[in-house]
């Protein structure tokens, strides 16, 4: 029974992982090369009032983009990291943002998060089939 499940689940999970990787790379490259200035001007993160985007290291830039993603995806949550992003970006109304600004952010971070889950499932399936 499990062999049949693993026979179908392993290739599907690997395909999902590769699709998430490609989505993350394409959306990330597009975001960083073409849309980052427009996105920062539209969403106005409070950290950018202190320093310019270029002066922050890559980890802080990724955290700013993660805050944008969390505000767009979960606008009413007050829990943990999502709540902090919603408090920092309370001036942003996700319904009023154009899809042109949303899709690179959602593709970038959505691909990362779904890809992490797919990677964990893939590892679990590989370990279970080895036993």
């Amino acid at each position: 029974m499990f062999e049949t499940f693993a026979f179908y689940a392993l290739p599907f999970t690997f395909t999902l992982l590769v699709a998430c990787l490609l989505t993350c790379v394409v959306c990330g490259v597009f975001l960083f090369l073409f849309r980052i200035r427009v996105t920062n001007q539209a969403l106005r993160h409070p950290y950018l009032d202190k320093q310019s985007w270029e002066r922050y290291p890559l980890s802080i830039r990724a955290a700013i983009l993660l805050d944008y993603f969390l505000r767009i995806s979960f606008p009413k949550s007050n829990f943990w990291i999502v709540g902090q992003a919603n408090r920092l970006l309370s001036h942003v109304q996700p319904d009023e943002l154009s899809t042109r600004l949303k899709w690179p952010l959602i593709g970038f971070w959505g691909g990362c998060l779904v890809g992490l889950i797919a990677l964990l499932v893939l590892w679990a399936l590989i370990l279970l089939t080895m036993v």
Side-chain angles (χ1 to χ4, degrees):
M1 176 70 182
F2 180 73
E3 291 83 20
T4 306
F5 173 75
F7 180 74
Y8 291 108
L10 275 169
F12 175 75
T13 308
F14 181 74
T15 303
L16 180 63
L17 179 65
V18 171
C20 288
L21 174 75
L22 291 175
T23 302
C24 182
V25 168
V26 168
C27 290
V29 167
F30 185 79
L31 179 65
F32 278 105
L33 290 181
F34 302 114
R35 287 277 187 259
I36 197 63
R37 178 164 286 145
V38 176
T39 302
N40 284 332
Q41 288 172 350
L43 297 173
R44 297 181 318 274
H45 198 282
Y47 291 174
L48 297 177
D49 293 339
K50 295 177 180 32
Q51 287 185 12
S52 67
W53 173 260
E54 292 80 19
R55 296 203 51 186
Y56 283 116
L58 184 61
S59 59
I60 303 296
R61 291 181 193 179
I64 291 171
L65 292 177
L66 180 61
D67 285 345
Y68 293 162
F69 167 75
L70 294 173
R71 177 64 179 159
I72 290 169
S73 300
F74 310 104
K76 295 190 186 338
S77 179
N78 289 321
F79 179 71
W80 197 38
I81 295 174
V82 180
Q84 178 66 20
N86 285 332
R87 283 187 288 280
L88 283 173
L89 298 170
S90 60
H91 60 278
V92 175
Q93 299 303 321
D95 298 336
E96 296 174 2
L97 293 175
S98 70
T99 306
R100 199 172 179 176
L101 290 175
K102 289 181 186 180
W103 76 262
L105 287 167
I106 291 175
F108 179 67
W109 279 107
C112 286
L113 298 177
V114 173
L116 279 173
I117 293 168
L119 184 66
L120 292 173
V121 170
L122 182 65
W123 284 347
L125 286 171
I126 289 172
L127 289 174
L128 288 173
T129 55
M130 290 175 62
V131 174

